[in-house]
Amino acid sequence: MTGRGERGGPAADRVGASGTAGVSPRPGPAGLLADARDMPDGDARTAELERVAALAEAAGDLGCAVDAWADLVEAHLLHGERWRLCEPVRRCLDAATRAAALSGGGTAAVRAARAGMGLDETLRRYRRYAVESLLGTPRVGLDQAWTLLDGLTATDGEDGALVAQLRCRVADHVGDEPAARRWWHRWRVAGPDPAAGCPDCLPVRQAELLAGWGDWAEALALLEPLIARPAGCTGQPEAALTGALLPLLHAGEPDRAAQAHLRAYRRHRRDPGTFDHLATHLRFCALGGHPERGLAILAEQLPRWDRPPDDLSAMEFAAAGALVCALAVEAGLGHRPVHWPAGPERPAADIAVAALGTRLLAAASALAGSFDARNGTGHQSGRMASWLAQRPLAAATPLPAPDPPDGTDPDEDGPDDAGSDATDASTAGTAPDEIGSLTVAMLTAVLDRRGDRYTLVDDGTVRGRWDDAVVDFRRAGRRGDILHARVVAARRLPAGRRAEAYAFCNAWNRDRLLPKAYVHEVDDDLVLAGDVTTDLAYGVAPEQLAVLVEATVRTGLAYVRAVAALP
């Protein structure tokens, strides 16, 4: 991943200082922490973790305090609340240092003790997350981030990859380009560091900095190897392709830029972890001479702007959208209506392109002003102003494949889904290992390759029959990114055998992983069915989808045959 949405695993698995995870509640902070971990995710659990962490500190149970603060950090990461990280990270670091110091000795002994507890790498990642939160929102104070970064420098030295990366990005954020360039060169030559983020995505971040400084050729040279030979990261090569969009336009290669945009946007169109890439796609449409496509993408992605992962990506999306609207107005499209779905405090409405651009510009300006007020510079406002002053770099060239967002709400399934998916570039020419959004066309393509017969139901369901098993595949969820398969056995049982049917399903669910078996009544008969549900919010490759379909059909057939074998 590129880092903005990166999150660690469960804190207890990595820190383990108190050893309370997975055990029965006990009196004192350890028992309270175990209870808090069992609570459902939400504000109540977050508040309880904070209370338990403070209570453990007061009671002198520093191991439990470390675990509780670490769990709180993970909770904030899970809910996208990075702006709340600085204080729990600071408290976690303090508790870990005091706990390790109990072993006696000086700084070296403390670090050795922390390493023995498995803390060092975890705490270094937490420092990175907290400092990165400064870049994402103006709600984090500069002094908080500098304090954490100074502490990291004291332990790692100034030549470490993580220190160089963070100092480079903070300097660039506040507008100190000379300092950012110096740190960039240190970062570039530093050795690998697991806590610095995904090693396959760090060149993309470095190239983005070069592009922001106007070093287009150098940025493209850094990205070309990653595009030619994608690494193992699931975010590649789409992240690298997106980073190359503007450098390719500046290099006079609009055709390559268009190909890169089409391939990358197939992934970024609905992937919830890639919102920060959308501004670059919009800027490509504006500077590449495709304002109508830019408007279509803008209309499609406005609902995601209501729930951005951070203020920085919201600001950049708004500025890029305002640029698209401005160019559309110049092209005579200012009166075209754009549907803006209802938001948290806004009813749904159709708004003219010119008016939408005005709103987006106001939002981008307000956010940039908030960053600059915190930073004490005018850099972010100047950066957004420079974006809005840009104009197409060359005459528009036709896009190489039909992949226009259809202007409909991507969150809704409807009778047109099969038709629209059939022409969607997310399936046309997709390589077997290329990740894209789940579509009906992807499902039917898998079944076609298998040689299976199926029918398309009006609601977008793909229905097939294998022996006595009827299997319905459909896209579920608000964004249609969940693959739901329902298996129904042809044999039914009389209602009088309900207890026997329940016992059969309970035994199946105990002994088998798939499908989830259940019983429901239809016309005085008991229908035995099964569900297989897979969350594909981060996309799926055709060959992965083929494996899921094969697993569903095989386990569904086994289930139906077991039903048929009942006395």
Side-chain angles (χ1 to χ4, degrees):
M1 302 297 290
T2 58
R4 280 185 181 174
E6 186 181 344
R7 187 173 67 85
D13 292 345
R14 300 190 314 277
V15 179
S18 67
T20 59
V23 300
S24 301
R26 298 189 298 269
L32 293 173
L33 177 58
D35 290 343
R37 284 171 169 167
D38 289 337
M39 294 174 65
D41 283 325
D43 291 341
R45 182 176 184 271
T46 299
E48 181 63 9
L49 285 172
E50 186 170 7
R51 187 183 75 86
V52 171
L55 188 66
E57 281 187 346
D61 190 345
L62 296 177
C64 182
V66 170
D67 276 354
W69 287 122
D71 281 354
L72 183 60
V73 169
E74 296 289 347
H76 291 327
L77 291 169
L78 177 65
H79 298 133
E81 299 174 325
R82 291 203 166 206
W83 61 275
R84 301 179 66 179
L85 288 180
C86 282
E87 182 62 15
V89 168
R90 185 190 68 79
R91 299 281 288 272
C92 187
L93 287 165
D94 181 65
T97 300
R98 287 190 288 143
L102 294 177
S103 62
T107 302
V110 169
R111 294 197 66 193
R114 287 203 331 211
M117 295 164 63
L119 287 175
D120 265 353
E121 289 305 309
T122 298
L123 296 178
R124 292 177 70 245
R125 283 197 299 271
Y126 284 174
R127 286 188 202 259
R128 174 168 70 87
Y129 298 152
V131 174
E132 285 178 333
S133 68
L134 165 87
L135 309 176
T137 178
R139 288 180 282 185
V140 176
L142 274 175
D143 56 338
Q144 293 176 288
W146 284 123
T147 298
L148 288 166
L149 190 48
D150 289 343
L152 184 63
T153 305
T155 57
D156 284 21
E158 291 193 344
D159 294 327
L162 182 54
V163 170
Q165 176 197 159
L166 293 176
R167 290 198 179 276
C168 172
R169 293 169 63 193
V170 171
D172 175 72
H173 178 78
V174 300
D176 189 352
E177 184 179 328
R181 285 182 178 274
R182 289 195 301 272
W183 286 110
W184 187 95
H185 287 291
R186 290 194 184 188
W187 176 17
R188 185 67 183 152
V189 300
D193 184 344
C198 173
D200 298 328
C201 294
L202 290 180
V204 178
R205 181 167 286 155
Q206 293 169 342
E208 289 172 345
L209 288 164
L210 290 173
W213 302 329
D215 297 342
W216 303 107
E218 292 83 353
L220 187 58
L222 199 57
L223 293 170
E224 290 283 19
L226 198 54
I227 295 172
R229 295 180 298 279
C233 172
T234 57
Q236 301 298 347
E238 290 82 5
L241 289 167
T242 304
L245 292 180
L246 301 186
L248 284 169
L249 286 178
H250 281 272
E253 299 188 65
D255 292 336
R256 280 190 67 197
Q259 289 277 8
H261 162 68
L262 290 173
R263 181 174 180 184
Y265 188 67
R266 284 201 297 264
R267 170 73 181 275
H268 298 159
R269 184 178 184 182
R270 291 194 178 111
D271 188 333
T274 59
F275 179 83
D276 54 302
H277 291 302
L278 296 180
T280 306
H281 287 290
L282 289 171
R283 293 180 71 200
F284 161 78
C285 292
L287 303 182
H290 305 286
E292 294 210 27
R293 178 173 174 84
L295 286 178
I297 291 176
L298 180 60
E300 183 179 54
Q301 300 298 340
L302 278 174
R304 292 174 68 181
W305 186 55
D306 285 327
R307 301 174 299 276
D310 56 39
D311 294 321
L312 180 69
S313 58
M315 176 186 72
E316 292 178 344
F317 180 91
L323 174 61
V324 168
C325 290
L327 293 175
V329 170
E330 293 177 8
L333 304 175
H335 297 292
R336 174 179 292 185
V338 174
H339 182 68
W340 197 343
E345 300 178 357
R346 183 194 65 252
D350 290 328
I351 181 171
V353 167
L356 176 60
T358 300
R359 291 194 187 184
L360 292 173
L361 175 58
S365 299
L367 286 168
S370 296
F371 277 111
D372 288 340
R374 189 272 313 273
N375 297 341
T377 69
H379 177 66
Q380 294 300 326
S381 295
R383 189 166 70 96
M384 295 301 98
S386 70
W387 284 18
L388 292 162
Q390 293 175 326
R391 288 300 178 264
L393 298 172
T397 59
L399 293 175
D403 181 30
D406 56 21
T408 61
D409 186 350
D411 294 344
E412 296 179 1
D413 295 333
D416 295 332
D417 279 355
S420 63
D421 283 339
T423 59
D424 194 307
S426 60
T427 57
T430 302
D433 60 348
E434 183 177 334
I435 295 175
S437 300
L438 175 66
T439 63
V440 174
M442 288 182 72
L443 276 168
T444 57
V446 168
L447 296 175
D448 287 338
R449 287 195 297 271
R450 289 168 48 92
D452 295 324
R453 299 183 63 181
Y454 59 87
T455 58
L456 289 174
V457 186
D458 286 344
D459 63 356
T461 298
V462 181
R463 178 170 294 163
R465 188 181 185 99
W466 291 266
D467 294 339
D468 288 334
V470 176
V471 183
D472 286 348
F473 294 96
R474 70 182 185 92
R475 294 161 60 222
R478 190 170 55 84
R479 293 187 175 274
D481 52 13
I482 296 174
L483 175 62
H484 177 263
R486 183 172 184 262
V487 182
V488 179
R491 184 187 178 187
R492 298 186 177 188
L493 297 179
R497 298 181 64 180
R498 186 184 308 275
E500 182 181 349
Y502 286 167
F504 168 80
C505 289
N506 287 340
W508 179 274
N509 291 333
R510 181 193 64 222
D511 298 334
R512 305 290 187 97
L513 182 62
L514 299 174
K516 180 187 71 177
Y518 61 93
V519 180
H520 65 99
E521 187 171 348
V522 176
D523 298 330
D524 296 328
D525 286 333
L526 299 178
V527 176
L528 282 83
D531 281 350
V532 180
T533 303
T534 309
D535 186 350
L536 301 175
Y538 290 95
V540 63
E543 61 183 11
Q544 293 173 319
L545 187 59
V547 172
L548 294 174
V549 169
E550 173 69 14
T552 299
V553 172
R554 281 181 176 270
T555 58
L557 271 173
Y559 174 70
V560 167
R561 288 166 181 166
V563 172
L566 288 171

